[in-house]
Amino acid sequence: MNQRSKIAILGYGIEGQAMVKYLLAHDYFDITICDQNVNLGDEVPEGISTILGDKYLESLADFDVVFRSPGIKYLEPLVQSAKENGVEISSPTAFFMDMCPCHVVGVTGTKGKWTTATLIYEMLKNAKKDVYLGGNIRESPMDFLDKLKKDSVVVLEMSSFQLQDMTKSPHVS
């Protein structure tokens, strides 16, 4: 992916908004938000294209890279069709893991992910570590990616839907 890539953001919740903000801050401007919600209105930054409504997944083959939010299933037939046609399918979480310069503690499971992640974060913070907490239900790690240093630690709560297309694992899980 480079600044000339045609990029789609699938889903414009916490993850999608953070991904758009990050891409714009790094001079990626050919961005389209694809979301089923037709009422995004003022939430969309000026100059960003949108494909909204029931057919928001139908043009994925027109993009170079697609970042899907956790609510969009990786195995969704239209996502897989785009992948088969050469589109790079990723997610904000996978991108974060590829770009992150420091150790990541990943927390996943059925119940208690956020509680466990918060407890680990608080222990590391109490030990005077440069620690960040992010995840599926609160702050996207894309919001603090640029602040991380080699000696930082990220505690990341992740759902199974975020793990599906990742190629890099956390250092500790």
Side-chain angles (χ1 to χ4, degrees):
M1 180 175 84
N2 61 47
Q3 274 80 11
R4 292 183 309 277
S5 297
K6 190 171 181 182
I7 301 168
I9 306 296
L10 295 188
Y12 199 57
I14 291 170
E15 292 279 334
Q17 290 174 26
M19 193 71 208
V20 168
K21 182 178 170 185
Y22 179 88
L23 291 170
L24 289 173
H26 290 85
D27 299 325
Y28 292 86
F29 295 108
D30 195 351
I31 303 168
T32 301
I33 296 166
C34 304
D35 197 297
Q36 194 169 17
N37 182 1
V38 296
N39 297 316
L40 295 182
D42 294 338
E43 297 176 38
V44 177
E46 191 172 320
I48 300 296
S49 301
T50 59
I51 300 174
L52 306 175
D54 292 336
K55 298 183 181 198
Y56 74 107
L57 296 175
E58 292 185 4
S59 302
L60 298 182
D62 295 340
F63 297 94
D64 300 311
V65 181
V66 171
F67 289 102
R68 68 171 186 85
S69 297
I72 312 291
K73 293 181 174 105
Y74 177 70
L75 296 177
E76 157 66 45
L78 292 172
V79 170
Q80 290 303 303
S81 176
K83 183 178 177 185
E84 290 167 9
N85 285 311
V87 176
E88 179 185 342
I89 306 295
S90 189
S91 67
T93 305
F95 182 82
F96 172 82
M97 289 299 299
D98 289 341
M99 302 299 289
C100 183
C102 63
H103 280 86
V104 175
V105 177
V107 179
T108 190
T110 304
K111 301 268 188 206
K113 293 183 292 292
W114 191 253
T115 301
T116 303
T118 302
L119 181 61
I120 294 168
Y121 167 80
E122 290 296 334
M123 288 188 290
L124 290 168
K125 188 169 107 177
N126 192 47
K128 308 292 187 226
K129 300 289 183 186
D130 179 34
V131 63
Y132 294 82
L133 176 63
N136 192 37
I137 60 172
R138 299 273 169 100
E139 182 175 14
S140 169
M142 295 306 301
D143 289 333
F144 53 75
L145 178 58
D146 286 335
K147 298 176 185 175
L148 299 174
K149 302 174 199 84
K150 187 175 168 75
D151 62 341
S152 300
V153 178
V154 173
V155 181
L156 193 57
E157 181 268 340
M158 299 180 288
S159 74
S160 61
F161 300 110
Q162 290 170 299
L163 300 173
Q164 284 182 308
D165 57 357
M166 287 179 46
T167 58
K168 187 176 180 183
S169 296
H171 297 88
V172 178
S173 298

